[in-house]
Amino acid sequence: MIQDVLTAIPLGIFLSFLIGPVFFVLLETSAVKGVRAALAFDMGVIIADILFIVIAYGSSYRLIASIKKDPAVFVFGGGIMMIYGIVTFVQHRKKQRKHNDESTAEVIKNNYKGLFMKGFFLNFINVGVLLFWFLILITVGPKLNLDLSRLVTFFGTVILTYLIVDIIKMLLAKQLKSKMTPTNVFRIKKVISLLLVVFGVVIMSQGWFPNDQKFVKRALEKME
């Protein structure tokens, strides 16, 4: 069991620094709204990850194979993220014009439930995350003899490590809060919205160019 834990820790650290929409939104939330707000967002991300792990474990590989054969799933998920980025960008521009004379406290409002749902949503619509967990499962699963208790220990350690490293990132990002004037807040929010558009296009490209998913295909072929 100790070996399973030691194997999982590097993966958790890697996952926490994996560059994606969640990475940037987490740092932005912590810098702008504080650690508690970022933690609410991160819990939504983690719940989505746990759900993906359960789906990968409980379903047959044919579910993932169907995603491979139907790249439109990537186009759909990426399209939603891109539209979400565009909509939030437009909303932030309108709010900036409306709140030019307001204080930072009035601009920064925390809605923990909303942040939780935002984290869950951004992670859940990224089909690549499901494929990531599936690949980890088929890589590590046989080494753990597909023993449920060992799998729970392994993935639990990955998630816990991921959360601990994220909290460290939140604390570091919080140091920038003193510089979060209303103007800077809106600038950061608009940049994050544009990044979501970019990541949405990247996810969609996985559907437009399915040959880029060679690693997934090789893994599925081995299982077949």
Side-chain angles (χ1 to χ4, degrees), residues 97-146:
R97 295 191 188 116
K98 182 180 178 182
H99 297 297
N100 275 338
D101 298 325
E102 293 189 359
S103 66
T104 304
E106 291 173 321
V107 171
I108 302 173
K109 294 181 180 179
N110 288 338
N111 177 357
Y112 296 118
K113 183 178 179 181
L115 287 167
F116 175 89
M117 294 306 300
K118 181 179 180 180
F120 181 87
F121 171 77
L122 283 180
N123 208 26
F124 192 75
I125 63 174
N126 190 348
V127 182
V129 177
L130 174 58
L131 290 173
F132 171 82
W133 286 119
F134 178 76
L135 290 172
I136 296 301
L137 181 63
I138 64 175
T139 301
V140 177
K143 297 179 182 179
L144 302 179
N145 299 319
L146 292 177

Side-chain angles (χ1 to χ4, degrees), residues 30-223:
S30 182
V32 174
K33 299 186 175 183
V35 174
R36 290 184 181 179
L39 189 58
F41 172 83
D42 207 30
M43 291 308 297
V45 173
I46 288 174
I47 294 300
D49 278 326
I50 292 174
L51 181 58
F52 277 147
I53 293 170
V54 172
I55 292 173
Y57 176 79
S59 64
S60 69
Y61 77 94
R62 289 183 179 82
L63 173 63
I64 311 298
S66 66
I67 294 177
K68 178 198 71 172
K69 294 177 181 177
D70 187 11
V73 176
F74 285 93
V75 177
F76 178 74
I80 292 177
M81 185 176 292
M82 182 179 69
I83 292 171
Y84 178 78
I86 293 172
V87 170
T88 54
F89 180 83
V90 173
Q91 288 178 339
H92 293 325
R93 287 194 64 178
K94 290 182 178 178
K95 287 180 181 178
Q96 185 174 14
R97 295 191 188 116
K98 182 180 178 182
H99 297 297
N100 275 338
D101 298 325
E102 293 189 359
S103 66
T104 304
E106 291 173 321
V107 171
I108 302 173
K109 294 181 180 179
N110 288 338
N111 177 357
Y112 296 118
K113 183 178 179 181
L115 287 167
F116 175 89
M117 294 306 300
K118 181 179 180 180
F120 181 87
F121 171 77
L122 283 180
N123 208 26
F124 192 75
I125 63 174
N126 190 348
V127 182
V129 177
L130 174 58
L131 290 173
F132 171 82
W133 286 119
F134 178 76
L135 290 172
I136 296 301
L137 181 63
I138 64 175
T139 301
V140 177
K143 297 179 182 179
L144 302 179
N145 299 319
L146 292 177
D147 181 84
L148 183 57
S149 62
R150 294 186 67 186
L151 287 171
V152 170
T153 299
F154 177 83
F155 284 106
T157 302
V158 171
I159 295 296
L160 181 59
T161 303
Y162 171 85
L163 177 60
I164 291 173
V165 176
D166 271 1
I167 290 174
I168 295 173
K169 284 160 39 182
M170 294 174 202
L171 293 171
L172 292 174
K174 184 186 176 182
Q175 305 306 313
L176 300 174
K177 194 170 183 178
S178 60
K179 299 181 180 180
M180 291 299 107
T181 63
T183 300
N184 288 338
V185 168
F186 281 115
R187 282 176 181 171
I188 292 173
K189 286 180 176 292
K190 287 190 288 185
V191 169
I192 295 297
S193 296
L194 291 175
L195 284 174
L196 290 178
V197 174
V198 172
F199 282 116
V201 173
V202 171
I203 294 172
M204 291 173 69
S205 70
Q206 296 179 53
W208 292 328
F209 307 104
N211 288 332
D212 292 341
Q213 305 168 37
K214 293 178 181 178
F215 184 58
V216 177
K217 290 183 178 181
R218 286 198 296 268
L220 290 168
E221 287 168 359
K222 288 181 181 179
M223 294 188 69

